[in-house]
Amino acid sequence: MTADQHTLLIHYNITDLYPTAWPAEKDESDPSEDEQSKSKPQPKRLAHQRSNSRYSVLARSTSDRRSLVPGSEKTSDGVENLVQKDEPDPLGGPDSVVRILKHKGIPVEEDQRLRNRFLLSSTTFAPTLYLSQVHSDASTESLVKGLEFLSRSIDQKSASLKVLVESNFERFVRAKTTIDNVYAEMRNQGAEAPLPQQIRTHSRSRITSKGSVHFRNTSGQAPFSPRGVDKPLPSDKKKHALCKESEYGVQGIKGPLSEVAVKAEEIWGPALGGREREQSLISAMESIEKSSGIFGVDAAIASCIRRKDYDSLVREYKRARQYAEDARAIANGASGGRYPLTDPELYQIVITGRMWSGVETQIDDFKRDTWRKLTNVEAPPPSSTAGSAADEYMALINVLLELGVEDNPIWFWLLSRYDHLKNKMTASFERSRVEIEILRRRLANAEPPPTATAVAHLKGPGHSTPHQKTQAIDSPGIIELWDLVYGSMNNLLGPSGGLLGEVVEFWEKAQAFIDGSMKATLAVGVDGQSRKHHRLSSEGVRELQKGVFELIEMLRGSVFSFFADPPIEDVSMLYSPLPPTTPNTPKSAIFAPYGHQDSRFKFDVSNPPPPSPKRGEAWEDFAFWPPYANTLSGVYYVEKILNLVGAAAAEIAGLPAVSSSSTIQRSLRTLVAGTRERCSKALLAAWIRDAEMFHHLENWERAGDRHDMTKMPACFLTFEITVLSGLQKIIYIPDVPSKANASDVVTAPSTDLLKDVRRHFEKTLYTVLSDMVRYSEMAAPHKKLQPIETSISIWPQTLAGTINGTLESRETRLLLTMSNMQFFRTDLAPQLIAQFETHFSHKLTEETKSIKQALSQIEEKLFKAYAGPFARDLASLMHNGITSPAWVPKTDRPTELRPYVYEALLLLVNIHTEVTTTAPPLLPPIISYLFEQIVLAFLSAFRARTERYTLAALMQATLDVEFVASILSQYTTAKASELQSQVYQELDQRTDNSARMRLQNELPEMRAILKKLRDGTRGEFMCFKKQRTAK
């Protein structure tokens, strides 16, 4: 940017030489102009006056005093300063300072102070900051040139300033002379007129003062004034003059004011008499005012106690003690005979004594109430959390230390807190245990859930949201009990809001008092008398550590007994009545302390829930496992519970007081391992039970992506993957936070547990496979499942409906089961085995072989179950047709097939249709097998004939065999070819040489007959022809 361009920007106060819009700030009127227009009348416009063009607001003339410097700014209060909004580069750069800084990303437009540090016209200009930002990449040569440019600019501005001073010197002298004349007139008011000679001297002095520098002489006289003016003047002429003799103009009104004062004294003097009485009243008022603080202490302390303002309470108490000490000092001085008591002193002693008596009474009551609050730690304020409640008790402790007490409030609070935690832990655990048992008994005493209901929940993992997932994986009653178990464990072991969190917080508070870190926040009391309470004794520290160990052991033992012990028998704590304390005790208070209990746990005292019936179920031995709960809800909730247990054990093991105790570390390992073993045992038992019921999921409804299968294999795959994933998290507990000593308490699972998981995994596979086979071979179709009527209606009837899909025939079920088994063998079983090996880091080599053998045997069994009856029908049909006396042709040259051939092939057409519409991949092996059975039936039937074969019989047998072989040529196997060769050998052995030779001569004719027969039955047996694939 050139210098001329920058001058234009500054002159018109714009930021761009080519603006695209009119600046909005130019539309605002200047306040000075408005004021001028209001205060002065507008003169007539002259011809030479400045024109009102649309750009006049941009250009300001030099006579316009609204802006002294082009581009200057106004502050927020409207005062202009000399700092411009922008400046050219002082070192001669091509661009302005603000543009360079904006290009570098420095917000100088928003921050005026920061911008002033870069502008040379500002008093806060920072050269170092300017060079480091504006010329950060300048070379030494360019900086030297900039210095020369700056020197020339300074010289030019200095010359301009000199010219400005010389051109305006006359104006300055005239203004100074006017000011001096006004001051002289005010000072010499009433003086004689000066002589002409003095006037001439004055004028000459003004003329000669043009080149003078000092305008006042050393005597303090005003410049250019005659010396004769300082002579004394008559008082009547000078009483209003602005000088010392006339008291600076006040002398004229001083006399009248004195006269008025005398008159006022004459009139009001008698009314203001009685000096002695006035002095006595003043003395009494002074005594009252002096003791006003004593009168307000009692009320101030009562107000502080009521507002719970403990800081103000301590200040007021110290002030009361100071008043008492002062009064005691006065009384001691008088009793020593050093000086007699005056009336004010006696009055002060009396009122101080009365005040101190009331203060001591209030402070004693406050101390008793504070001790009671420290004891009653189980009732924190409703609006406060555990942390704020502890802070409140610390405030109470400090207040007691400030006021001074004999007993140690810190030790007292710690003991009270320990007793509270101990009692709360016992009551909470027993309460939760009984509530869980009540809900467990209600589920156990009800009838088992309908099969359709139980089976429907096994398809639950497909839901996405957590609420839908928990509602889908099991029945509402079971989910309710699971939620209660998890909530109870969270109340015991939760890090925030749980009893474990309170125990950890209690130990942290105790540790802070033990190591002295809280010493700085504790009050020292009056004269430091409470310092003795800041440190706990060695015996007290040992007692605290022992108490923390006891709390931890109680918590660990409670959790371990809940999982390890069988269900409790006694639930009387929910309804054990307490004897009424008074005759007027309400009935609702008799069942204390649980009168506020949930309605789910209220029942008739005379008819409590009976114990769980013994039906031989695995869940009867577990207090934490809901009756009839399935594996999906088990893995979901047990995983969350074990994460709680593992995290709690790691949290406890990380405490400094516990980390060195091998006994507690060992007990924590026992807790985690024992809980894991019991939960895994219950879960594995439920896994087997669900696997035994899984075949009820088979409703013969086709899968969406594969119509040759049903939906059951995919459901089973999803179910098994969910269970395996949950079991892995349950056995290894990987989600425990990594803390110090966490690996010491959360140990690896035992070998026996892993073997048990592996054994149950195999058993679930075998159970589901065997049930699939058994279910598919049922003679009668599977009937619809109806809900079972129960004595206690807890199972939702919406899930107890019929199984969807059409009920298929036995042959169709066998085909679908074979297709499912094929999917098991090729996809499902390898995927599940890989999942198991990945989750549990254990190779299933032998198990994989056993599973493959079992699947092969099952497939073979299913195949025979389906194809066997058809093979027997075909064999019977073939045998009856060949051994019939009518089989032998009546003519020497047979040209037609026997009926049994068409019947056999039509039976194969029906089988082909059934397999194609049900499970197309199974068609080749089934038709091939039946073809082999047909050839075998040919061989058996030909052997069953006793007579020898004539030429006509040989030709008939050849036509029958070759026709069947040509129709089923697509399904020919090596075994079928071998059996066909045996058929021809058998025929060859049962004829003579002559017939054999003549048969060779008849073969061309027989081929023509076969071709004719095939062409005639092309429509009937086209399904066996190989389909041409589109290229």
Side-chain angles (χ1 to χ4, degrees), residues 696-741:
H696 291 287
L697 266 178
E698 185 59 86
N699 55 7
W700 310 112
E701 185 178 352
R702 306 297 194 272
D705 53 344
R706 290 189 57 176
H707 293 285
D708 60 322
M709 290 173 45
T710 62
K711 292 183 176 180
M712 197 273 281
C715 294
F716 180 69
L717 178 62
T718 305
F719 170 79
E720 287 288 283
I721 289 176
T722 304
V723 174
L724 288 176
S725 178
L727 272 174
Q728 189 268 342
K729 294 180 180 180
I730 290 170
I731 290 177
Y732 291 98
I733 318 180
D735 296 334
V736 174
S738 57
K739 296 184 179 180
N741 300 324

Side-chain angles (χ1 to χ4, degrees), residues 288-298 316 319 323 355:
I288 293 175
E289 290 178 358
K290 185 177 180 181
S291 303
S292 60
I294 300 176
F295 287 111
V297 169
D298 201 358
E316 295 296 335
R319 189 158 68 94
Y323 286 138
M355 176 273 298

Side-chain angles (χ1 to χ4, degrees), residues 433-621:
R433 197 172 192 176
V434 172
E435 289 179 351
I436 292 171
E437 178 61 20
I438 293 297
L439 291 187
R440 202 189 72 85
R441 288 187 180 185
R442 287 181 176 173
L443 289 176
N445 284 292
E447 290 295 329
T451 304
T453 302
V455 168
H457 289 303
L458 298 181
K459 299 187 293 185
H463 295 271
S464 56
T465 63
H467 177 71
Q468 289 178 335
K469 181 176 181 180
T470 54
Q471 293 299 318
I473 58 179
D474 222 326
S475 300
I478 295 174
I479 297 298
E480 180 185 16
L481 182 51
W482 273 125
D483 287 334
L484 181 60
V485 173
Y486 175 72
S488 300
M489 291 298 104
N490 194 31
N491 291 335
L492 289 175
L493 305 176
S496 58
L499 279 173
L500 176 60
E502 295 187 36
V503 172
V504 172
E505 182 187 6
F506 167 71
W507 174 246
E508 289 175 352
K509 290 287 185 182
Q511 187 64 35
F513 289 119
I514 292 172
D515 56 24
S517 60
M518 296 288 291
K519 186 176 180 181
T521 62
L522 294 176
V524 297
V526 180
D527 300 330
Q529 62 181 356
S530 296
R531 293 185 188 274
K532 60 183 179 180
H533 299 319
H534 290 184
R535 284 278 185 179
L536 300 178
S537 62
S538 301
E539 183 180 358
V541 172
R542 288 193 298 271
E543 289 294 329
L544 277 177
Q545 192 171 11
K546 182 180 177 182
V548 171
F549 287 171
E550 184 178 353
L551 290 176
I552 290 175
E553 181 57 30
M554 284 182 60
L555 187 61
R556 187 208 67 83
S558 299
V559 176
F560 185 76
S561 65
F562 175 70
F563 286 99
D565 296 344
I568 59 175
E569 300 292 338
D570 186 13
V571 294
S572 59
M573 71 173 302
L574 283 182
Y575 58 88
S576 296
L578 296 178
T581 55
T582 62
N584 296 325
T585 301
K587 192 178 242 182
S588 60
I590 295 178
F591 297 94
Y594 303 111
H596 60 282
Q597 66 183 1
D598 195 335
S599 59
R600 296 175 299 173
F601 311 112
K602 291 182 179 180
F603 46 84
D604 188 3
V605 178
S606 60
N607 186 23
S612 302
K614 299 299 181 182
R615 298 173 180 171
E617 298 285 351
W619 47 260
E620 295 174 0
D621 296 332

Side-chain angles (χ1 to χ4, degrees), residues 75 120 281 289 327 341 425 478 489 495 503 656 712 763 931 941:
T75 58
L120 187 62
L281 290 175
E289 290 178 358
L341 287 174
M425 193 176 298
I478 295 174
M489 291 298 104
V503 172
M712 197 273 281
K763 190 173 181 181
F931 179 40

Side-chain angles (χ1 to χ4, degrees), residues 321-335 349 352 356 360:
R321 285 182 63 90
Q322 187 61 43
Y323 286 138
E325 292 294 335
D326 294 343
R328 188 176 291 107
I330 295 172
N332 291 337
S335 63
I349 291 174
T352 302
W356 183 246
E360 282 190 325

Side-chain angles (χ1 to χ4, degrees), residues 889-955:
K890 303 298 184 182
T891 62
D892 294 338
R893 288 186 178 185
T895 59
E896 296 292 337
L897 298 175
R898 289 298 179 228
Y900 76 91
V901 175
Y902 292 109
E903 293 177 6
L905 290 176
L906 288 176
L907 179 58
L908 286 180
V909 169
N910 292 333
I911 296 172
H912 186 284
T913 303
E914 185 177 44
V915 176
T916 303
T917 56
T918 304
L922 299 177
L923 180 64
I926 292 176
I927 301 299
S928 298
Y929 172 76
L930 293 178
F931 179 40
E932 293 173 358
Q933 297 302 312
I934 289 175
V935 178
L936 185 61
F938 272 124
L939 180 60
S940 176
F942 287 142
R943 286 177 179 174
R945 291 185 64 88
T946 57
E947 64 274 11
R948 296 182 68 84
Y949 294 100
T950 62
L951 177 59
L954 286 176
M955 292 178 65

Side-chain angles (χ1 to χ4, degrees), residues 116-158:
N116 291 344
R117 297 188 68 187
F118 292 97
L119 299 179
L120 187 62
S121 60
S122 173
T123 57
T124 60
F125 175 70
T128 305
L129 181 61
Y130 168 78
L131 291 174
S132 64
Q133 296 295 335
V134 180
H135 293 279
S136 59
D137 53 353
S139 62
T140 305
E141 182 181 357
S142 63
L143 291 177
V144 171
K145 291 182 180 178
L147 179 60
E148 295 175 357
F149 179 82
L150 182 61
S151 301
R152 290 195 302 271
S153 300
I154 292 175
D155 293 340
Q156 293 175 1
K157 290 183 179 180
S158 299

Side-chain angles (χ1 to χ4, degrees), residues 665-682:
Q665 296 284 341
R666 187 166 53 253
S667 64
L668 292 175
R669 285 194 295 270
T670 304
L671 168 66
V672 176
T675 304
R676 177 172 55 194
E677 292 279 348
R678 291 283 292 177
C679 291
S680 300
K681 186 177 180 181

